[in-house]
Amino acid sequence: MTLTVSADPPAERQFTRLLPALADITYGISLPLALLLAWGFSSRFGWLPEQILPAPDVVWTTVVELSRDGSLAEHTLQSLRRVAIGFAIGATLGLVAGAALGLLPRVRAFICPVFTAIAQVNMLAWLPLLVLYVGIDEELKYVSIAWSTTIPVILATTRSIADVSPKLVELGRVLDFTPLQRVSTIVLPAALPSLFTGLREGLAAAWQNLVIVELFASFEGLGYLMTWGRQLFQLELVIVAMLVIAAIGLLLNTTLQYLERFVQPWKTEDAHGR
């Protein structure tokens, strides 16, 4: 008697693999769709005045008009340039300083209490002092964005390196690894998840601080667009700027998540193996 094992067709297997991704996408868009529907019903039935919450079609018309005259792209690119420069500076400084604090316990014990206390002060409290030192031009934007980025990156980097298991470090010594080999082979792979968490938090802080600093002193950018809309009592401009900031922030965060998976292929393999 011959037993025949029937294999699933390739198309069916591919569809089965796509089901979890489709489910995640469905869950991900369900809440935004529900909020959009609630927004539409609120506008249609007059639950909230248009002065408080403009109708979705008014916001969409504003998006189209700002896109046609190029002002939306101009403000967005200006804000992106500021965030890119500030985040690059802050992330670099944060990774270097965090690595030094994580790898050198005595330095960490000496600096961390003061740094932790400084980190508790909100960026808004530092702005008057920064204005005195760097003025209100572009340097203020770069410095404030870099500072807001540096803090979460330093904290996450320090914590991730300091929390690496001493047994793993001792294993490197037993295997006669050099200090550089121990860092690159043992410490860095173990610390990568927390490092990327710190980078994502730093990027979110950079976007939030961008709006603050552009509200404070700027004549272009998405934060300025929000200020201009508030002064003109055109809340649709404010909502458009908020939507663009949220969409770009989500896109950048998703990019960092995919980059994290790329540099940590073992995590993807473990997920597939479960």
Side-chain angles (χ1 to χ4, degrees):
M1 181 177 181
T2 304
L3 294 177
T4 303
V5 179
S6 60
D8 294 335
E12 185 175 344
R13 289 201 303 269
Q14 187 69 20
F15 179 74
T16 303
R17 293 176 182 175
L18 288 176
L19 281 179
L22 293 175
D24 291 341
I25 294 174
T26 302
Y27 283 122
I29 65 175
S30 59
L31 180 58
L33 287 177
L35 293 175
L36 183 60
L37 287 174
W39 183 12
F41 282 122
S42 174
S43 172
R44 181 178 180 82
F45 295 105
W47 296 339
L48 287 175
E50 290 188 2
Q51 294 82 0
I52 297 177
L53 184 63
D57 58 332
V58 175
V59 174
W60 176 250
T61 302
T62 304
V63 171
V64 173
E65 292 176 353
L66 293 176
S67 300
R68 286 177 177 172
D69 62 20
S71 57
L72 183 58
E74 181 180 352
H75 289 299
T76 302
L77 290 175
Q78 182 70 4
S79 294
L80 281 173
R81 184 176 65 85
R82 289 168 176 162
V83 169
I85 296 175
F87 177 76
I89 296 172
T92 302
L93 294 176
L95 290 173
V96 173
L101 293 176
L103 293 171
L104 303 173
R106 291 185 179 180
V107 177
R108 182 169 66 250
F110 179 70
I111 294 179
C112 270
V114 176
F115 176 77
T116 303
I118 293 175
Q120 306 308 311
V121 182
N122 190 276
M123 190 62 220
L124 280 172
W126 293 104
L127 281 178
L129 292 176
L130 290 177
V131 170
L132 292 177
Y133 288 109
V134 300
I136 60 173
D137 293 329
E138 289 299 299
E139 290 79 6
L140 175 65
K141 285 79 169 175
Y142 300 146
V143 171
S144 58
I145 293 172
W147 174 251
S148 62
T149 301
T150 301
I151 291 177
V153 174
I154 288 180
L155 293 176
T157 304
T158 303
R159 182 174 59 251
S160 63
I161 294 178
D163 290 346
V164 174
S165 174
K167 295 181 179 179
L168 292 176
V169 179
E170 184 62 28
L171 177 61
R173 294 193 181 98
V174 171
L175 295 175
D176 201 23
F177 283 0
T178 64
L180 182 59
Q181 287 176 327
R182 288 199 297 268
V183 171
S184 61
T185 307
I186 297 175
V187 176
L188 184 58
L192 271 179
S194 295
L195 288 180
F196 273 94
T197 299
L199 288 174
R200 290 201 301 269
E201 292 176 354
L203 184 59
W207 268 110
Q208 294 167 6
N209 190 68
L210 167 76
V211 176
I212 293 174
V213 75
E214 287 186 344
L215 287 171
F216 184 79
S218 182
F219 295 100
E220 63 276 326
L222 294 172
Y224 169 75
L225 186 62
M226 295 174 64
T227 303
W228 182 248
R230 179 180 59 82
Q231 292 176 346
L232 296 178
F233 295 98
Q234 295 180 359
L235 291 186
E236 59 271 16
L237 291 176
V238 178
I239 294 177
V240 168
M242 291 172 59
L243 291 176
V244 173
I245 291 172
I248 295 177
L250 178 61
L251 177 62
L252 294 176
N253 183 73
T254 304
T255 302
L256 280 179
Q257 287 180 333
Y258 278 106
L259 181 60
E260 180 180 1
R261 296 176 187 175
F262 177 77
V263 299
Q264 299 179 88
W266 58 88
K267 290 184 65 176
T268 305
E269 292 174 1
D270 291 342
H272 288 323
R274 292 194 184 105

